[in-house]
Structures are given as C-alpha cells and as structure tokens.
C-alpha cells in the first residue's frame, strides 16, 4: 500500500525532534470551542512508531480515506481511495485532553445504555447518529442534565435519567460532546484509542 | 468414612418415612417431566428434560406450535414455567406475569402488572427504577411454591406472592431500596429469580454498578416475613458466617475475614450482587449461589481481596449460616462477577465419586468443587482465549494473575489492553445445561476480549459508580464473538465447540432425546446433538434470544418453549457490533452489527413435532 502522509503532517505537534525511537512530547492545548461557542475537538493524525516508555510500540493504527476514519466511508469512496492511492494508514494520532476525558466519561457513564463507541444499543439511540442528524449541543446538554421521559417523547419504558446532580457526569458534558461530535464527524475510528495530549493547565 | 458408606447412609435416611414437606412436594414435581416447575427445571440446575419424544432423529422436522407476544419490548431473560395445565410467562419491566391456560388455546387466565399508576409496589416510579438498572430491564423469571403461589422478584426489589390460580396478591414486601440512595443500600434492583426452598423464598439483589452492598434475604412463603439476611461483605454477623466453622479451601475463615480485605469502610458500598441462577441440595440442606463484583470497577481504590465478592457461597437455608465459601477472583480488576449458575452433579472426578458442584465463571475458568466440603477439585479455562491468569493454584485456590493484564498493576488512567475475557465474561448469566446421557455440560459462551482503563470516580448515592472504561472486540484470531461448547467437567476439557457470530446469551437445555437446545442473539432457536454438537435444527424467532429453553408435555405431546426479546448486557454491547467493517483492509467483518439482524420484542415461541 502506498501511503501518503504528507498532508497529515502536523507541525504543531510533530516537532523536528520526532523520530522512530523518540517519544514525542506534544504540547497541551486548551479545550476547544467552535465559532458558535459550542465545544469541539482537536483530532490530529500523524505517523511513525510512537513508543511507550518501556520501548514497546503503542501500535495504534488509524486508517483514513478522504479525511475520515475508514469505517465512516462508503464502499464506493473506499474503492476510489484505493484507486487513487489515497487510502492512508497512520500509526497514531492525537486527541486533545478534553476530548479524551469525554471519551472516558462516555464509556464509564453512557456506554451502559448507549453502547460502545456511541453506536447505540438495542434500546438506546446512537448518540453519534443523533448528532449527525442535528442534535445540538444545547439539546445534548439539556437532556443529560434533566433527563427525558415519556412527556418529552421517549418511548414507553425507555427513559433517560437526569444526570444534573451526578458529579461524575455533569462536569464532563462538554467533553462528552467533544468526543461524540468527533465520532459523528468520522474523526475517531471505533475501538481504537488515540493517545491523548497532555492535560491543559490553566495559567494562574 | 468411605464415599460408599456415606451414600448407603444417605439412602437409608431417604428410605425412612418422613412427613410430606413443601420441599419433597416440589422435588416430586421437578421429577415429572410434563411440567417445568422452577426456572432451572430442578434444584440441581441441570436444565434437562426426561422427555424424548423430540429426539435427534426427528428434531429436524420440528415446527412452531404456537407463539405469544408479551407486549413488552426490551430484553427477556429467564423462561416460562408450566404447572399442571397452566403456563406462567414473565416480562421485562414492568414485570408483567401472564397465566395461560394450555387446555384452552393459551387463553390468558390472568395478567398481573406490579406497576400501578406508574409506580412499583415499593413506591419508586418505573422511570426511576429503569434508570438504575445497569444493563437493560431484564428479569430472570418467576418461581412456584406448591402451596399454590407464583413468586415474582420485581425490578424495584419487591417480592410479590401471587395466587397461582387467580393472580391475586397474597403478600408483597419490598426487599431493598431501588432509589432512595441511602448509604449502603442505594439503587439496589431486582433481576434475579426468587428461589424457593421448603417454605421460604430467597432473593439476591443487583446493582454492583451503583455502589450497593448486596445480600441474600430469605422470606417466609406464607407471610412474607423476613427470616434472615446474609450480606456479601462486612462484619461477620452481617454475613452470617462462623469464623471457626465456616470454611474456605477446607480451612476456617477466621474472624473479620471480610473487613480485613477492604480499605476503611469501603465494604459498605462493596457491591457483591447476587442475580444469577442458584442451586439447592436437599440432602445436604445447602443453598448455593455466587456473588458479583466489588465496586467500583476501579480496583486501585480498594486494595485487598475484597471478600466475599466473587465468591461461591454454600449456606444453610434455614438460618443462612455459611458452610463454606470459595472466592474465585480475589481483588477483581475486570468485572468478572461470580454470579453464574451452580450445577450440582454426582459424578466421578479424577476417579473418585463426588458430590460435585460445577460452575462456569465469568472469569473464564470452569470450577468443579466438592459441594459438601467446598474442596476445589478442578479449575480449568473453558475458552482457550482466557489470558488474565495463567492458571488457578490448586493449593491456595488463587488465580495466578498476569501483570500485563492486571488493571491494578498497570494503574489508574492506564489503558490495559488485550485482556481476555471481556467484562461480560467467558460466560455471563446464560445458564449451562447438564446432559445426563453423555455426562457433558452444554455451555453457551462469549468469545470477547477488551481494553480496560480504571479511573477515579465519586460515589454519588443512587447513581452509577463504575470508574472504568472498556472497549471490547472479538478474541484474537477470529471474528466470531461466541461459542457453544460441550465440556467435560472431570477432565476440564472442551469436547466440542461450535462457533457463533455473536455471544451465545441464551440458557441451554439438554434432553433425553440426545439433543441440546440453545438460542442465538440473531434470534435462532437451535438444536444440536449433545454428544457432538452437530446442528440438527434451526429456526429464526421474532427477536434475538437471551431467554432460557424449557420443555413440557401436554396431552401426551412434548413441547419446547423459548422467550425471544433481544437486550441485556449483550444487547448493549453488541447492538452495533464490535468489529470494524474494515473491508478495505482485508478483514472480513461478516457479522458486524446485531441490529442488522434483529429488533426488540418479547415473544414466546413454542415448538412441537407436526
């Protein structure tokens, strides 16, 4: 496979010190917001063999086609990427710490109903799909805080509990949204972990 | 004393005249294959029917005799009972019970719904109770007492005694608190079967993901009065253990055996839920059940063995006192609940006749114990993928954990990868069957591995208290997520193994016709030859199967029944599949998402020969 990395090289994270053996030390970034002030993510893809401190490779592989993780593209797009050699296999990527926290909080709190990787279960909707279909951050926030019962249109017996008072959930809603949005946008392939950037520390 | 002598004495004792107790009446009914009077078929948990009208030569022509919609969506575990000419069918929340007249085209004789005005009997709203069920709205079925009572263990932990003829409430008691969030008892729920012994009914509790301290509680069947309660962890008097007489690995457990293994008072929210399928030996007068995971899922905050979570309990059902305990997974780091069913079989183990207990644990080891003494006889992996421990040390009974798969060793905020099995275990609650003909165990299994990252969480009463993330995927070297296996519990070896695309999440049933029934998550009801696993029959039912097979006969004809209704842990974890459809890379994810194969809906399907 002919791998085309060039357009994914990100100088901001992959400084000149990067080599096959070195462990890169990328910079922390602050939590991101988009132009409408909604929380958003930074996901960047790179290449090379990032090593753990004990020297073993992290072995995280992302496969991209047309700027999206490969499981989000259609068969036609995939064929096209194969044809023009733009199917890219990358050895690792980064997500910002806030998005990572969202990933973690999602899988601890939401996963038990909404399924792994924001993909839904037999009875709870896929939040990834909900965001693709237009669920706004405000609605996402409101439903998590207040819950959703039959009065709000939930099917009988399918309730969403209110998490406004849950200290493991409420402080992380922005981050959860960052993660689910990144999934909805096709930036994080399921099942594969992206390493996180270091935690951003507020300057006092 | 030799085993032989013991058994002579036992049979002599049996020959003595004795008063007809509820126990013996129920046991007599269990021996009548025309009925299915308890969830497991019998106390020994064999899930075996002596009926052989449907057998390996004719099962291929099996047809649907009739079906019944429960009117409830979400996951349907457990199965129906047949008492005389009546069938009793339960549902997921709201936990409706139907009585169907088998003499009258399955007419609904009565229907009982414990939720009235949106509330369960304990006073919690149905919505609140649903919100604290960890893994779907499942219920594992009702049970029968020969004084004419059907007992329901509802999701809000209410134990409800119903008149089997009319469906009228005889008594209701709410065992725990489904939503009040009181320290130590918060957010307990009920999903396990109520278990009838003599004139008592016992229930466990669910909610180890919610920081509960679970227990087994026994009630008087006639009045609903509480008789005893044994906590899974805490002070000796709470656990009903005798430091000198209760044993583990044949030695007395000593004083404060549980308290010593928890930091501070972490035991007060220690989990140890009980919601699987249980066993009872009336000759030994011993109840057997398993306890679940210690909470939270983050092991770093609770260093120690966390006794007696993850433990097989052998107890006197009259007063609850523990005879012996065996902890399978000390200091759980993976959510390997020890709740799975206890199968009681008198068999030869390593050349000696034993009163054995066979248990297929979530942690991937199949244990054969002496159920009288609690001696560990065999502990072997029943899925070759299992890697978190190399083996079980037969002297200490402890699993030899591999550091690289230890989420505590790797630490908080570290993603420990490629652990097998995943948190849903090599087998979850789906009960195995014992084939009395071949002596093999028919075991529905999962074949799934995971990455697991523990982290710090706050305990908020009444809310989920998990503290770990995990991602699951098929075990290395394949794309299938389940196997149906035939297991030799003496040798500790797999005799046959059938690959299934998804975890096999239904309870199996073996029959005197030489066949075993099991269901799949896509919804197939299957029959295989018990000796070889050869598939002889399959039929796609209306929804994925997580219920348990049962059989009965009516007017001389054998029927086989199964509840469909996809859901449960499996429905959450596998709805979207676990594999990436990375067709572009050559990996063929033939089966990716369960929701491409089946949808919700509780339906009973009953089969018979044409």
């Amino acid at each position: 496979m002919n791998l085309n990395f060039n357009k994914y090289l990100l100088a901001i994270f992959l400084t000149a010190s990067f080599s096959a053996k070195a462990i890169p030390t990328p910079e922390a970034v602050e939590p991101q917001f988009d132009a409408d002030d909604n929380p958003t993510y930074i996901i960047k893809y790179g290449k090379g063999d990032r090593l753990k401190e004990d020297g073993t490779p992290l072995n995280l592989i992302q496969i991209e086609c047309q700027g999206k993780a490969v499981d989000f593209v259609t068969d036609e797009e995939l064929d096209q990427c194969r044809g023009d050699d733009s199917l890219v296999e990358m050895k690792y990527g980064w997500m910002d710490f806030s998005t990572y926290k969202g990933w973690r909080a999602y899988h601890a709190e939401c996963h038990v109903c909404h399924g792994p990787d924001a993909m839904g279960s037999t009875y709870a909707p896929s939040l990834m799909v909900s965001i693709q279909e237009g669920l706004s951050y405000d609605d996402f926030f409101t439903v998590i805080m207040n819950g959703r019962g039959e009065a709000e249109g939930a099917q009988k017996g399918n309730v969403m509990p209110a998490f406004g008072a849950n200290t493991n959930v409420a402080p992380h809603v922005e981050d959860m949204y960052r993660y689910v949005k990144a999934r909805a946008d096709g930036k994080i392939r399921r099942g594969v972990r992206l390493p996180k950037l270091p935690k951003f520390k507020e300057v006092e | 004393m030799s085993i032989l002598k013991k058994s002579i004495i036992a049979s002599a004792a049996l020959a003595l005249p004795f008063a007809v107790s509820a126990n013996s009446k129920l046991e007599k009914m269990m021996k009548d294959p025309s009925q299915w009077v308890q969830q497991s078929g019998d106390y020994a948990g064999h899930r075996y029917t002596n009926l052989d009208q449907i057998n390996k030569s004719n099962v291929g022509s099996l047809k649907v005799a009739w079906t019944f919609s429960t009117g409830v969506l979400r996951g349907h575990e457990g199965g129906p009972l047949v008492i005389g000419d009546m069938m009793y069918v339960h549902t997921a929340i709201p936990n409706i019970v139907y009585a169907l007249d088998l003499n009258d085209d399955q007419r609904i004789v009565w229907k009982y719904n414990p939720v009235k005005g949106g509330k369960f009997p304990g006073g919690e709203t149905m919505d609140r109770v649903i919100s604290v069920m960890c893994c779907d709205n499942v219920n594992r079925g009702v049970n029968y007492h020969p004084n004419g009572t059907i007992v329901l263990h509802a999701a809000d932990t209410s134990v409800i005694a119903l008149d089997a003829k009319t469906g009228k409430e005889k008594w209701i008691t709410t065992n725990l608190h489904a939503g009040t969030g009181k320290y130590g008892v918060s957010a307990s729920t009920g999903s396990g079967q109520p278990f009838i012994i003599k004139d008592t009914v016992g229930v466990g509790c669910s909610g180890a993901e919610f920081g509960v301290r679970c227990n087994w509680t026994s009630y008087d069947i006639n009045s609903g009065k509480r008789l005893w309660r044994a906590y899974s962890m805490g002070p000796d008097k709470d656990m009903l253990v005798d430091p000198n007489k209760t044993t583990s690995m044949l030695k007395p457990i000593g004083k404060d055996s549980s308290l010593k293994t928890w930091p501070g008072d972490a035991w007060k929210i220690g989990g140890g839920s009980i919601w699987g399928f249980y066993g009872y030996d009336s000759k030994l007068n011993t109840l057997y059940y398993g306890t679940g995971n210690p909470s939270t899922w983050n092991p770093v905050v609770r260093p120690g063995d966390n006794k007696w979570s993850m433990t097989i309990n052998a107890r006197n059902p009259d007063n609850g006192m523990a005879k012996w305990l065996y902890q399978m997974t000390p200091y759980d780091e993976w959510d390997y609940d020890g709740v799975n069913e206890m199968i009681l079989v008198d068999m030869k183990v390593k050349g000696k006749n034993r009163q054995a207990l066979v248990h297929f644990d979530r942690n991937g080891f199949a244990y054969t114990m002496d159920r009288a003494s609690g001696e560990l006889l065999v502990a072997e992996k029943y899925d070759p993928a299992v890697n978190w421990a190399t083996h079980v040390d037969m002297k200490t009974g402890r699993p030899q954990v591999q550091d690289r798969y230890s989420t505590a060793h790797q630490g908080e905020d570290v993603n420990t990868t490629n652990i097998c099995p995943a948190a849903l275990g090599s087998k979850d609650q789906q009960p195995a069957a014992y084939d009395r003909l071949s002596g093999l165990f028919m075991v529905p299994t999962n074949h799934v591995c995971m990455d697991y990252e523990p982290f710090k969480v706050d305990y908020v009463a009444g809310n989920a208290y998990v503290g770990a993330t995990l991602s699951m995927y098929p075990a290395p070297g394949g794309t299938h997520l389940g196997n149906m296996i035939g297991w030799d519990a003496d040798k500790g070896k797999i005799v046959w193994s059938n690959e299934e695309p998804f975890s096999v999440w239904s309870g199996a049933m073996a029959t005197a016709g030489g066949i075993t029934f099991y269901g799949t998550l896509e919804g197939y009801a299957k029959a295989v030859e018990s000796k070889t696993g050869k598939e002889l029959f399959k039929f796609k039912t209306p929804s994925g199967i997580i219920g348990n097979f049962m059989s009965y006969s009516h007017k001389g004809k054998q029927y086989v029944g199964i509840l469909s209704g996809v859901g449960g842990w499996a429905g959450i974890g596998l709805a979207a599949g676990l594999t990436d459809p990375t067709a572009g890379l050559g990996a063929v994810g033939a089966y990716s998402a369960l929701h491409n194969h089946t949808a919700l809906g509780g339906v009973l399907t009953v089969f018979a020969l044409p």
Side-chain angles (χ1 to χ4, degrees):
Chain A
M1 199 184 301
N2 182 8
L3 304 180
N4 171 13
F5 291 115
N6 293 341
K7 62 181 173 174
Y8 299 99
L9 280 179
L10 295 146
I12 177 174
F13 301 119
L14 310 174
T15 55
S17 66
F18 183 79
S19 76
K21 291 285 173 204
I23 300 163
T25 51
E27 292 167 34
V29 288
E30 57 190 289
Q32 300 292 302
F33 293 90
D34 66 13
D36 299 324
D37 224 19
N38 293 318
T40 189
Y41 54 83
I42 295 183
I43 305 281
K44 301 291 184 191
Y45 294 128
K47 67 167 182 180
D49 296 318
R50 185 169 178 263
L51 303 181
K52 288 202 273 193
E53 299 199 17
D54 64 2
T56 54
L58 271 170
N59 193 28
L60 291 161
I61 298 172
Q62 289 279 333
I63 296 119
E64 269 215 342
C65 168
Q66 303 201 349
K68 288 187 276 189
V70 74
D71 37 337
F72 291 94
V73 300
T74 63
D75 288 348
E76 290 76 39
E77 285 172 318
L78 199 58
D79 283 343
Q80 202 183 324
C81 287
R82 282 196 193 111
D84 62 16
D85 281 344
S86 62
L87 188 68
V88 179
E89 181 177 334
M90 282 162 303
K91 287 287 167 64
Y92 69 91
W94 303 109
M95 69 169 97
D96 63 293
F97 194 78
S98 300
T99 307
Y100 160 80
K101 277 198 301 181
W103 173 88
R104 194 162 78 167
Y106 175 89
H107 281 94
E109 306 290 338
C110 316
H111 165 188
V112 294
C113 288
H114 291 282
D117 308 305
M119 296 282 279
S121 72
T122 49
Y123 59 91
S126 160
L127 298 182
M128 186 183 92
V129 171
S130 297
I131 287 184
Q132 283 167 347
E133 290 176 350
L135 180 72
S136 69
Y137 174 67
D138 286 351
D139 290 345
F140 183 86
F141 178 87
T142 307
V143 172
I144 292 174
M145 288 303 181
N146 302 329
R148 192 162 173 267
E150 277 179 65
E152 290 79 36
Q155 190 185 40
K156 196 176 170 73
N158 283 7
V159 291
M160 165 79 187
F163 288 97
N166 186 330
T167 51
N168 294 316
V169 176
H172 305 303
V173 177
E174 278 188 4
D175 293 339
M176 288 170 171
Y177 183 80
R178 288 186 170 99
Y179 163 68
V180 181
K181 182 81 167 48
R183 286 281 299 143
D185 292 347
K187 295 298 185 187
I188 304 178
R189 202 182 136 212
R190 65 175 310 194
V192 173
R193 286 281 306 281
L194 289 168
K196 58 188 180 275
L197 289 175
K199 189 174 180 175
F200 176 76
K201 290 193 182 92
E202 301 271 349
V203 182
E204 283 177 25
Chain B
M1 196 191 302
S2 76
I3 300 281
L4 185 65
K5 250 186 190 165
K6 255 188 194 166
S7 66
I8 288 169
I9 291 168
S11 40
L14 261 186
L16 292 170
F18 54 92
V20 177
S21 70
N23 230 6
S24 58
K25 197 168 174 191
L26 195 57
E27 288 202 286
K28 211 172 148 195
M29 290 175 78
M30 288 170 183
K31 290 199 177 101
D32 169 10
S34 72
Q35 312 187 77
W36 193 268
V37 296
Q38 296 289 287
Q39 283 297 321
S40 307
D42 59 22
Y43 276 142
H46 287 187
R47 294 182 181 273
Y48 179 88
T49 176
N50 273 316
L51 299 174
D52 60 1
Q53 205 176 74
I54 301 169
N55 55 49
K56 61 184 174 190
S57 61
N58 62 20
V59 67
S61 58
L62 208 58
K63 292 281 179 290
V64 173
W66 55 275
T67 60
F68 176 78
S69 166
T70 68
V72 175
L73 303 175
R74 310 282 292 256
H76 280 59
E77 290 183 350
L81 302 181
V82 169
I83 317 289
D85 295 327
M86 274 270 240
M87 176 182 277
Y88 300 92
V89 185
H90 72 287
T91 76
I93 290 176
N95 304 139
I96 296 166
V97 184
Y98 295 96
L100 309 179
D101 186 347
L102 298 175
N103 281 334
D104 190 5
D105 282 340
Q106 304 88 44
R107 180 177 61 88
I108 299 173
V109 179
W110 55 260
K111 174 187 174 183
Y112 174 79
N113 185 343
V115 175
K116 296 178 174 87
K119 284 185 175 175
F120 272 104
E124 294 294 341
T125 65
M126 187 171 88
D127 283 3
R128 168 65 192 163
V129 173
I130 290 171
S131 75
V132 291
M133 296 284 284
C134 96
C135 316
D136 205 358
N137 291 354
V138 296
N139 182 284
R140 298 188 183 86
V142 295
N143 265 328
Y144 174 78
H145 186 275
N147 74 354
T149 306
I150 292 289
V151 189
L152 168 68
H153 182 206
D156 77 327
T157 79
S158 289
V159 185
I160 305 169
L162 301 170
D163 185 307
K165 281 210 178 89
T166 63
K168 288 223 166 67
E169 290 164 358
K170 290 183 166 182
W171 53 263
I172 297 184
T173 181
T174 303
N175 185 35
L176 297 162
H177 303 271
T180 45
K182 282 181 191 155
Y183 193 65
V185 289
S186 77
S188 296
T189 46
S191 63
Q193 58 165 339
F195 198 60
I196 310 283
I197 297 176
K198 301 179 191 174
D199 285 333
T200 70
V201 55
V203 290
C205 81
S206 308
E209 278 65 50
F210 290 82
V212 301
R213 178 167 66 122
C214 270
N215 56 68
W216 181 281
T217 309
S218 174
Y219 293 95
D220 181 288
I221 191 71
N222 293 309
S223 65
K225 195 179 143 234
R226 189 167 124 185
L227 301 172
W228 55 266
R229 169 169 288 173
Y231 283 93
S232 299
M233 58 266 309
D236 291 348
K237 65 173 174 34
D238 285 14
M239 296 193 300
L240 303 185
V241 296
D242 182 324
N244 302 316
K245 286 187 189 148
T246 304
T247 63
S248 182
M249 294 298 288
L250 305 177
K251 292 189 195 88
I253 58 172
K255 206 167 164 283
D256 295 334
S257 59
S258 170
L259 294 180
K260 282 192 265 190
T261 62
W262 292 87
D265 57 3
W267 55 269
K268 286 184 179 169
I269 48 172
S273 47
I274 304 161
W275 48 268
F277 292 96
Y278 321 122
Y280 171 63
D281 183 325
S282 59
K283 282 179 207 157
L284 295 170
N285 193 30
T286 306
L287 155 72
Y288 301 93
Y289 66 81
T291 58
N293 61 287
S295 68
T296 76
W297 282 20
N298 175 5
V300 179
V301 299
R302 46 170 174 77
D305 280 354
N306 307 144
K307 286 177 177 165
W308 293 93
S309 65
M310 311 307 225
T311 297
I312 299 176
N313 285 242
R315 291 181 182 271
N316 179 336
D318 300 332
N319 57 19
M321 284 305 285
K323 298 181 174 180
W324 58 264
L325 304 164
Y326 171 63
Q327 189 178 39
M328 294 163 287
T329 313
Y331 189 40
D332 172 61
E333 311 167 39
W334 313 269
D335 188 36
Y336 295 152
D337 286 45
V339 300
N340 290 355
E341 72 286 359
M342 306 294 162
I343 308 175
L344 315 182
V345 177
D346 294 342
M347 58 184 270
K348 265 211 162 78
V349 182
K350 294 174 181 163
K352 268 171 106 178
N353 283 319
R354 292 281 192 172
Q355 294 174 295
L357 176 154
V358 177
H359 171 84
F360 298 90
D361 198 58
R362 281 254 286 263
N363 72 13
F365 286 89
Y367 296 86
T368 306
M369 320 264 317
D370 184 311
R371 70 176 181 270
S373 66
E375 184 184 348
L376 177 63
L377 305 173
V378 179
E380 294 291 341
K381 297 173 183 179
Y382 62 96
D383 181 349
V386 173
N387 64 14
W388 67 280
T390 51
H391 64 284
V392 173
D393 182 315
M394 297 304 283
K395 280 213 180 91
T396 62
R398 294 182 76 91
Q400 301 304 296
V401 178
Q402 305 219 60
D403 282 350
R404 63 169 295 205
Y405 302 117
S406 161
T407 69
H409 181 84
Q410 303 287 338
E412 267 180 6
D413 302 326
V414 174
N415 192 34
T416 303
T417 57
N418 300 316
I419 307 164
C420 306
L424 41 68
S426 292
K427 190 178 85 56
D428 198 88
Q429 59 81 34
Q430 60 272 37
Y434 173 63
D435 176 33
R436 292 178 195 158
L437 292 181
S438 66
L440 296 179
F441 291 78
M442 308 285 114
V443 194
T445 71
N446 309 318
H447 191 57
V448 181
C449 301
M450 69 174 173
D451 299 346
Y452 190 108
E453 176 173 335
F455 62 94
K456 205 158 248 141
V457 283
D458 298 337
Y459 174 66
V460 185
N463 282 294
Y465 184 50
V466 179
T469 69
L470 55 102
S471 53
M472 301 188 286
Y473 37 82
T479 54
H480 67 293
L481 303 174
N483 291 305
M484 182 71 199
I485 67 169
W487 176 259
D488 181 327
D490 169 18
K491 297 197 177 74
K493 290 247 164 11
I494 295 170
V495 176
W496 56 262
S497 179
N498 292 356
E499 286 187 7
E500 285 289 348
F502 295 104
S503 298
V504 187
W505 211 270
S506 90
M509 179 185 68
T511 86
I515 50 180
T516 290
F517 288 89
Y518 70 96
T520 73
L521 281 174
E522 312 101 288
Y524 286 109
K526 292 191 175 183
V528 298
E529 187 181 18
S530 305
K531 234 190 246 173
T532 62
K534 190 184 160 209
E535 188 172 301
L536 303 170
F537 168 79
K538 75 172 180 179
F539 174 84
K540 193 159 183 188
T541 65
S543 180
I545 298 176
I546 59 171
N548 305 331
F549 274 90
M550 51 80 73
S551 185
Y552 66 97
S553 71
H554 188 66
K555 294 183 175 158
K557 198 173 172 104
Q558 184 186 356
Y559 295 87
V560 171
I562 183 70
L563 266 179
S564 299
V566 74
W569 222 138
I572 295 161
L574 308 181
L578 293 177
T579 42
D580 269 316
T582 46
L585 302 158
V588 185
Y591 269 87
S592 55
L594 182 57
H595 60 44
N596 292 341
H597 298 271
T598 192
L600 296 178
V603 177
L604 173 70
T605 306
V606 178
F607 299 92
L609 291 170

